[in-house]
Amino acid sequence: DQHGGWWHEGEPFINTRLIDYFNRNLDVHPDSGEPILRVGDKWCYVAVDDTAFFVRRFRVNGARLQAHLNTFEAVDVPAAGFTLAGDAVYLTVGPKRRAKLTRDAWHQLAAWIEEGPSGPEVRVAGQVWPLHA
């Protein structure tokens, strides 16, 4: 769903091991970029409300800012920065992969936002990332 929850036939998943397994196996179709779920050597498309990928939190690692995703990946925040769309903030985390910040990640990021010469920017660990509208 729009917050990263898993649902089946109108009921939310409650088994945390299953949720973690599904999150770890999220991907995108290499041709279409549509979200898919891999289970062993099989895969299927996944219907999403917005995106399949979510930034759960950030961690400063030296001069790098890393985004920790629902897929349990840690990715460096790219130089292109963040995109603000309505009340959501997104981060491009790979080819055809865009991650939406969870509330916790958004609150964490908000502490690092300052007004820059070209508009709002994220400043942390001696680095600067733009926040685009």
Side-chain angles (χ1 to χ4, degrees):
D1 64 18
Q2 65 183 351
H3 303 292
W6 287 93
W7 294 72
H8 179 68
E9 295 182 354
E11 296 294 323
F13 283 25
I14 56 173
N15 184 310
T16 56
R17 290 181 60 187
L18 183 60
I19 293 167
D20 288 350
Y21 181 81
F22 275 30
N23 281 334
R24 286 181 200 271
N25 289 284
L26 279 170
D27 203 351
V28 292
H29 190 278
D31 297 327
S32 69
E34 294 173 273
I36 61 173
L37 176 65
R38 295 183 185 281
V39 178
D41 62 346
K42 308 277 189 235
W43 64 271
C44 65
Y45 289 104
V46 178
V48 299
D49 289 342
D50 183 2
T51 181
F53 305 100
F54 291 84
V55 177
R56 289 183 168 169
R57 69 182 179 286
F58 292 98
R59 182 162 292 147
V60 177
N61 187 358
R64 299 179 319 186
L65 180 59
Q66 292 183 318
H68 290 256
L69 307 180
N70 59 321
T71 58
F72 294 87
E73 299 168 88
V75 298
D76 290 342
V77 172
F82 301 86
T83 302
L84 181 61
D87 62 351
V89 179
Y90 297 90
L91 181 64
T92 299
V93 294
K96 302 179 184 178
R97 292 178 65 193
R98 177 176 88 151
K100 183 178 181 180
L101 274 63
T102 61
R103 275 197 183 129
D104 288 343
W106 183 204
H107 286 281
Q108 188 181 9
L109 187 74
W112 299 321
I113 296 176
E114 297 179 13
E115 189 62 34
S118 300
E121 42 190 39
V122 175
R123 291 178 177 264
V124 65
Q127 302 293 321
V128 179
W129 293 270
L131 182 60
H132 307 282

